[in-house]
Amino acid sequence: MVDLDPVELEILRNQLESVAEEMGQTLIRGAYSPNITERRDCSTAVFDADGRMIAQAEHIPVHLGAMPEAVDAVLDRDPQPGDVFALNDPFEGGTHLPDVTLVSPIAPGRDPDSDDTTDSDDPEILGYAVSRAHHADVGGMAPGSMPAGARDIHQEGLRIPPVRLVERGEIREEVESLLLANVRNPDERRADLRAQIAANERAEVRIGDLLDDHGDRLLAAFDAVIDYSRERVEAELRELPDGTYRAADAMEGDGVTDDDIPVEVAVAVDGATVDVDFAGTADQVAGNVNAPLTVAKSAVYFVIRCITDSEIPPNQGCYEPVTVDAPDGSLLNPEPPAAVVGGNVETSQRVTDVVFAALAEAAPDRVPAGGQGTMNNLVVGDAGFAYYETVGGGAGANPGSDGLSGVQVGMTNTLNTPVEALEAAYPLRVERYALREGSGGDGRYRGGDGLVRTVRVETDATVSLLTERRRHAPRGIAGGEDGEPGVNRIDGERVAPKVTWEVSAGTTVTVETPGGGGHGPPPSDSEGAGADDADGDPADTG
């Protein structure tokens, strides 16, 4: 055993996290599609040899919480130094089909130019580099691979179980050709996959550098950072009152019907552990809002991170005190071949909302009002291009501040596509992009406002919308008012939350996103329009 003093542990922790961050920068700079280079819809992390996450970049919550399942799936395939496994199967470590994950063994000292195919002299595998990126198209029945009316996963795109894309440092051309033959824009997909490979290779180089500097003390840090985070989270959980806290909400249809779909949760806090049980949630549905259990876990982990100290290093230790269960065959634990593409982006947001609502009594000083509760997915494409965007909205107000306006909330952490980049890359024109003023809920602290985005499609194309909070408003909390629900329009006419339409050149698509809920009773007229903070200064209006 190697003992690390607190200073050394902090240095090593930051160095490991910098490896994950550098992976992300390599991926973002090396990719081709605007969805990765501009919106940064990707995530990177480093795992130890046992498949435990030891460091992650601060990227996409729904990606990161589900990554351990992807590594577990690859560990079952006997990975070797120099290999890179690709996967996107939601039933074998993935989230939804557009999110393609690459998992690579980290074996510093491997000679990348060696032609030796034996493993007799292979260096030890110390861990795994993992990159996950949302590819703008992976085939299926509609451009962009997010069809609103999909009834099984085969309609959503190419399904990839864990398969060696790279073997002993050499790309398997036949595997790459098979993957690219099933997508609409293969050159873009090839470039994005190569960027992911480069990101994973960068991790191996950097871990090798750290190993040269620290030797066995680096390996000791793998265990130490996980233990440290677990102990910190357990200490935070002990501060919560024991009990079982319940909440319920609903999804607004599944793309096949508009019927509400119940989501129920019971959160049991017992000392330093939390058990989250989704018994009572609806059975899996015909449409595509089913969410694999890995996605539900990601949402729960995100909430736990939000109600505990943000300075705790994000790694496997944060998740070990938390268990998540959902009935087999349910909305949050579906059986194949269930359609799931909307579950990753929309149902994950509802899980976040309902777990926050359940914990509002246990941690009232840390739970915000309801945010927009949707990613507002907009997809436009044809045989030659696929544009994908998640549009920001209003964040819920906090116990001490207004909610931010025009931001991503919950399970996504992406940027918008800049208008200049969007119009340069696609046959689209942005006609309006503005805050939806007044859409945030009133309260002592106001909810943030949503956005309005209108895009004109300049060619015949297919438009898909996967959205939520069009009927059920984001909830206010502690007496705060609800935010305004969102609205979708095609050529000015309101359409359902989840649709796929064939449109002609000149069609406009408008997404008005929800505002966040308010926190606390609205001030009376005599108190003025805004709350004051503890120092008597006007509260930040976000």
Side-chain angles (χ1 to χ4, degrees), residues 392-441:
N398 289 290
S401 65
D402 292 347
L404 296 176
S405 298
V407 295
Q408 302 285 3
V409 302
M411 298 307 291
T412 186
N413 191 29
T414 54
L415 304 178
N416 70 300
T417 305
V419 172
E420 300 84 354
L422 186 159
E423 295 185 344
Y426 308 111
L428 305 172
R429 291 293 178 268
V430 177
E431 295 198 341
R432 187 182 182 198
Y433 190 33
L435 288 177
R436 191 182 174 207
E437 295 185 3
S439 56

Side-chain angles (χ1 to χ4, degrees), residues 193-249:
L193 286 170
R194 298 295 174 96
Q196 286 185 256
I197 292 171
N200 288 17
E201 290 174 345
R202 182 61 61 90
E204 185 172 62
V205 171
R206 290 297 179 245
I207 292 293
D209 293 342
L210 293 178
L211 190 64
D212 290 342
D213 291 342
H214 302 289
D216 289 345
R217 305 187 81 77
L218 177 67
L219 303 183
F222 289 3
D223 290 325
V225 295
I226 291 173
D227 291 343
Y228 175 73
S229 292
R230 184 187 64 253
E231 291 167 3
R232 289 282 307 277
V233 167
E234 288 175 342
E236 296 267 320
L237 295 177
R238 289 190 184 96
E239 297 298 316
L240 301 178
D242 287 352
T244 299
Y245 306 93
R246 302 179 185 276
D249 209 322

Side-chain angles (χ1 to χ4, degrees), residues 372-463:
Q372 67 164 340
T374 175
M375 295 191 197
N376 302 297
N377 302 271
L378 170 60
V379 188
V380 185
D382 61 13
F385 81 96
Y387 156 71
Y388 173 61
E389 186 93 49
T390 58
V391 186
N398 289 290
S401 65
D402 292 347
L404 296 176
S405 298
V407 295
Q408 302 285 3
V409 302
M411 298 307 291
T412 186
N413 191 29
T414 54
L415 304 178
N416 70 300
T417 305
V419 172
E420 300 84 354
L422 186 159
E423 295 185 344
Y426 308 111
L428 305 172
R429 291 293 178 268
V430 177
E431 295 198 341
R432 187 182 182 198
Y433 190 33
L435 288 177
R436 191 182 174 207
E437 295 185 3
S439 56
D442 199 5
R444 176 173 175 79
Y445 298 101
R446 287 191 58 87
D449 287 336
L451 290 171
V452 179
R453 188 158 191 159
T454 298
V455 176
R456 181 175 295 276
V457 184
E458 298 195 323
T459 186
D460 294 350
T462 303
V463 172

Side-chain angles (χ1 to χ4, degrees), residues 23 45-47 102-106 127-131 199-201 203-204:
M23 287 177 66
V46 179
F47 288 70
L102 299 191
V103 180
S104 308
I106 296 174
Y128 294 87
V130 185
S131 58
N200 288 17
E201 290 174 345
E204 185 172 62

Side-chain angles (χ1 to χ4, degrees), residues 24-72:
Q25 289 301 314
T26 300
L27 172 53
I28 290 164
R29 292 174 180 173
Y32 184 82
S33 65
N35 192 52
I36 300 174
T37 61
E38 300 288 354
R39 295 190 60 248
R40 303 189 180 188
D41 195 348
C42 58
S43 300
T44 51
V46 179
F47 288 70
D48 70 6
D50 295 324
R52 301 180 302 167
M53 183 187 287
I54 56 175
Q56 66 180 54
E58 296 291 350
H59 288 153
I60 313 298
V62 75
H63 288 176
L64 294 163
M67 273 188 180
E69 305 283 346
V71 179
D72 288 344

